[in-house]
Amino acid sequence: MNQNRHLMQPDSCPAFIDFEASSLDLIASYPIEVGLCLPDGALHSWLIRPNRQWQDWSDSAEAIHGISRSRLEQEGRPVAEVVEQLNGLLSGQVFCDAWTFDSFWLHRLYRAAGETPAFQLESISMLLDQTQVRHWSGVRQQVIAELGLPVHRAANDALILHHTWQKLTCRGEASVQ
């Protein structure tokens, strides 16, 4: 049993967050989209207008997430607005499945806005015991197939985390194949 499971009550569901980014470069990349799935399953997402200092762009990353830089410049919300919305919706611990990348992009977003997150970003692994960690990937693939949603869009990926978590914890280990 993971000693960190005390972070959540057994019957409560956490909030999940996911980012899409300009590339996977952990020096130059920046967040281009953020999505949330709140404990009740409500989804929120924002395209993020690139800050003027953010120049990194990967055509291969664009091919994966399908969001162009010109679309971000036209439809993206200013970083300060996105940060304000996130802080208004989130508190306590919020969970992600790629902590190294997501924490980098979260920090980059908040630094550009000159703000501090009203929540603490944690890895989903902090919530899972060893058996759940072993089954996570397989259950995630089942959820993706069941939902039929495209991956690599922030809100979809946050919803996939939510459903995977529910399938592993709320329905118990018996539902894990």
Side-chain angles (χ1 to χ4, degrees), residues 71-129:
R71 180 176 176 198
L72 292 175
E73 290 167 354
Q74 294 169 10
E75 299 175 28
R77 309 306 312 152
V79 294
E81 181 181 319
V82 174
V83 162
E84 180 181 347
Q85 293 289 315
L86 289 172
N87 279 350
L89 289 166
L90 299 171
S91 64
Q93 294 161 324
V94 178
F95 295 87
C96 64
D97 66 348
W99 188 87
T100 299
F101 288 101
D102 291 331
S103 63
F104 176 79
W105 295 319
L106 179 75
H107 176 75
R108 177 141 294 175
L109 177 67
Y110 274 80
R111 184 166 185 191
E115 296 291 335
T116 302
F119 58 95
Q120 181 178 344
L121 187 65
E122 295 286 353
S123 171
I124 185 71
S125 65
M126 299 292 285
L127 296 175
L128 305 174
D129 62 31

